[in-house]
Amino acid sequence: MDNDRIDQIIEKHHGEPSSLIQVLLEIQSENHWLPKAALERVGEKLKVPYTRIQHIATFYKAFSLVPKGRHGIHICMGTACHVRGAGRILDAVQDRTGIKPGETDLDLKFSLETVNCLGCCALGPVMEVDGKAHGKMTPSQSAEVLKTYE
Amino acid sequence: MSDIQLEIDGKPVQAKEGMTLLEAAQGAGIAIPTLCHHEKLEPFGGCRLCIVEVEERGWTKLVVSCVFPVKENIVVRTRSEKIDRIRKTILELLMAHAPDSPVLIDLAKEYGADRNRFEKEASFCIHCGLCVRYCAEVKKKHAVGFVDRGIRKEISFIPEIAAKECDSCKECFPLCPTSYLQAAFVLTGSLSFPPPAPKPPSEE
Ligand code: SF4
Ligand code: FES
Ligand code: FES
C-alpha cells in the first residue's frame, strides 16, 4: 500500500487523532494487514505516538500485523457447532492447509481463525470462507470446499 | 473550589472539590496502599489495591480510591475485614506473576497474603503501567508501551526510540515494582541496539 493511498484515507478523516481506529480499519480492509511503514505514517500524520498505535493494533483482533492469506477461513467453535463436531472440522482444515488458527500459510493462500458463533447455529457445524458460510460440514466436505479456492 | 467535608476512618477530613479519596486520605495522614498510583501521573485505577469502602446515605459500596472523587458527607473506611480480604487476594494473584517483588513481599506481610496460593506463572510484569505512563506523561518520549491484551498483555519498548532516549534517562526503572522493566530493556537493547563489544585487552 503506497503512502498516497494512506494519506488519502487519513485526509478523509480530517487527520483527527480520534479517528485512529477508523483509519487503521480502512487500511486493514484494503490491504488485509498493517505493515509497519503504514503504521508509522499514520502515527506521524495523526500525531499519535507509535506506542499507542501498536497497543491498539495488537489489542483488537480485527487488525493483523502480519500478511494475511488471499482467503480467510473462519471455523465456528460456538456451542451449537461444537456439539455437532466443529472440532473435527477444524482438525480436517488444519490437516488440509497445514496451519493452525491465527496462522497463514507460506503461499499466502489461506489464513485460519476460529470464531465463537457465526449466528447461523441451525447450519452447524459452520465453516466460513471469505465471508461465505458453508453449513452442515463434515470433515471430508470441508476439504472439498477448500479445494475450490485458488 | 469549595471545601468538602467527609469522614475517613472515623476522622473528619476536609478536601477540595475534584480531589480523589486517595489524595484526601493522604492529606490527612491516612495511608492507603497503592501500586499503580504516582503523584505525577494521571489516575489509572489499574491495580485495585487502593480499594476502600464508602458509605453514602446508608449504602456501602467498594470504590477504587485513587480514581474516586471526594463527595460531601461520605464515610470512608480504608481497612475492614472485607477490604483486607480483597487486598490479600489481589496480592496473591499478583505474586503468581512476580513472587519476588520486594514491594509485593512487604504488602503480603501486612495483609497475610500467601505468595504460593496460586500456581506460579512467571510473567514478572504486573501491568501497573507506571513505566508506560511515566514515559508518556512526564518524559513525553513514548519509548515503552503496552501490546496485546488480557493474559497476553506485555510491555514493549520501541527499539528506535529506546536506542536514542533511554540510556540517558532510565527514570522509570526505579518505579517498576518488579525488575521486569529493566530486564525488558536489556533484552530489547541486546536484540536491536547492542552496546559496542568491549575492546579486547591490548597486548603490551
Ligand atoms: S514493567 Fe514494571 S513498571 Fe512497567 S507495567 Fe510492568 S510492573 Fe509496571
Ligand atoms: S455456534 Fe456456530 S453458528 Fe452459532
Ligand atoms: S493505586 Fe488505585 S488502582 Fe492502583
Side-chain angles (χ1 to χ4, degrees), chain A residues 4-53:
Chain A
D4 289 347
R5 184 62 197 128
I6 294 173
D7 291 353
Q8 268 175 19
I9 294 177
I10 293 169
E11 199 49 42
K12 203 169 118 197
H13 294 278
H14 314 293
E16 291 281 344
S18 57
S19 303
L20 175 61
I21 293 185
Q22 290 310 320
V23 170
L24 294 183
L25 277 172
E26 271 189 47
I27 299 177
Q28 170 77 40
S29 80
E30 267 184 41
N31 195 52
H32 304 296
W33 70 291
L34 303 174
K36 188 170 181 196
L39 293 183
E40 281 169 349
R41 181 98 187 160
V42 171
E44 259 166 50
K45 292 265 158 174
L46 295 185
K47 307 222 171 4
V48 178
Y50 193 71
T51 42
R52 166 107 46 83
I53 297 190

Side-chain angles (χ1 to χ4, degrees), chain B residues 188-199:
Chain B
T188 310
S190 46
L191 288 174
S192 13
F193 47 96
K199 286 207 187 80

Side-chain angles (χ1 to χ4, degrees), chain B residues 168-179:
Chain B
S168 60
C169 171
K170 295 191 179 165
E171 284 169 34
C172 59
F173 283 16
L175 303 180
C176 180
T178 80
S179 338

Side-chain angles (χ1 to χ4, degrees), chain A residues 36 40 49-51 54-55 58-59 61, chain B residues 142 144-149 156 158 160:
Chain A
K36 188 170 181 196
E40 281 169 349
Y50 193 71
T51 42
Q54 191 176 262
H55 192 190
T58 54
F59 189 94
K61 256 195 155 179
Chain B
H142 306 276
V144 59
F146 280 119
V147 291
D148 223 318
R149 62 174 160 167
S156 157
I158 309 292
E160 294 83 350

Side-chain angles (χ1 to χ4, degrees), chain A residues 66-79:
Chain A
V66 290
K68 285 277 171 188
R70 292 189 295 286
H71 307 292
I73 310 173
H74 291 99
I75 311 268
C76 182
M77 288 285 145
T79 313

Side-chain angles (χ1 to χ4, degrees), chain B residues 35 47 49 86-127 177-178:
Chain B
L35 274 174
C47 72
L49 199 69
I86 294 172
R87 290 193 187 142
K88 172 171 174 284
T89 309
I90 293 175
L91 290 167
E92 288 170 336
L93 286 165
L94 293 178
M95 287 178 108
H97 295 285
D100 293 323
S101 151
V103 186
L104 293 182
I105 290 174
D106 284 349
L107 284 163
K109 260 190 224 129
E110 168 92 15
Y111 290 93
D114 170 9
R115 69 171 179 172
N116 297 317
R117 172 155 172 215
F118 297 107
E119 201 184 320
K120 297 271 186 322
E121 205 180 289
S123 61
F124 306 106
C125 175
I126 57 167
H127 298 161
T178 80

Side-chain angles (χ1 to χ4, degrees), chain B residues 22 33-37 44-51 64-67:
Chain B
L22 178 67
T34 62
L35 274 174
C36 67
H37 175 78
F44 186 56
C47 72
R48 318 311 265 187
L49 199 69
C50 66
I51 199 159
V64 176
S65 64
C66 69
V67 292

Side-chain angles (χ1 to χ4, degrees), chain B residues 4 7 17-18 33-34 42 44 75 80 109 117 120 139 153 160 171 202 204:
Chain B
I4 289 184
E7 184 190 308
E17 198 173 327
T34 62
E42 289 295 312
F44 186 56
V75 176
S80 73
K109 260 190 224 129
R117 172 155 172 215
K120 297 271 186 322
K139 306 298 293 188
K153 186 170 175 180
E160 294 83 350
E171 284 169 34
S202 57
E204 274 169 27

